């Protein structure tokens, strides 16, 4: 599934869609400060130290839908924090 971001202001240059393509998947995390981080998942698991694909500050977006980062995206038996 894709991740869809709705922005506070209309942004013609960025439609907010992150689609599955060529084996890639996208996951999102809402951080404690309200920022939205989107990760690109290319394999079975998301690497522990992977940098986000993109981050939007809390003043840029108001709604997100799609696949949130979950335990199934983490490698087994490893500590993981976002």
């Amino acid at each position: 599934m894709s991740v869809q971001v709705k922005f506070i202001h209309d942004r013609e240059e960025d439609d907010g869609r992150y689609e599955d393509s060529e084996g890639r998947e996208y996951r999102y995390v809402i951080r404690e400060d309200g920022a939205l981080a989107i990760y690109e998942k290319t394999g079975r698991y998301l690497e522990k130290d992977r940098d986000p694909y993109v981050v939007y500050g809390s003043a840029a977006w108001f709604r997100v839908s799609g696949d949130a980062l979950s335990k199934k995206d983490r490698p087994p038996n490893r500590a993981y924090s976002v």
Side-chain angles (χ1 to χ4, degrees):
M1 182 171 180
S2 62
V3 172
Q4 176 73 41
V5 181
K6 297 292 184 183
F7 296 104
I8 291 174
H9 299 290
D10 289 334
R11 296 173 58 154
E12 292 179 22
E13 72 277 4
D14 191 358
D15 67 2
R17 284 183 287 179
Y18 296 89
E19 303 280 350
D20 299 349
S21 63
E22 300 177 13
R24 288 177 284 232
E25 298 178 30
Y26 295 90
R27 301 291 188 262
Y28 71 87
V29 171
I30 301 172
R31 296 181 174 180
E32 290 181 20
D33 63 357
L36 174 66
I38 306 216
Y39 291 88
E40 183 181 51
K41 181 179 161 187
T42 55
R44 185 171 178 184
Y45 300 110
L46 192 65
E47 298 166 15
K48 180 181 176 188
D49 296 328
R50 180 103 185 213
D51 289 331
Y53 181 72
V54 66
V55 176
Y56 296 107
S58 60
W61 67 281
F62 70 92
R63 183 174 50 193
V64 62
S65 60
D67 289 332
L69 184 65
S70 70
K71 289 181 182 181
K72 68 181 181 180
D73 298 312
R74 301 173 188 164
N77 300 322
R78 290 189 187 171
Y80 187 89
S81 63
V82 178

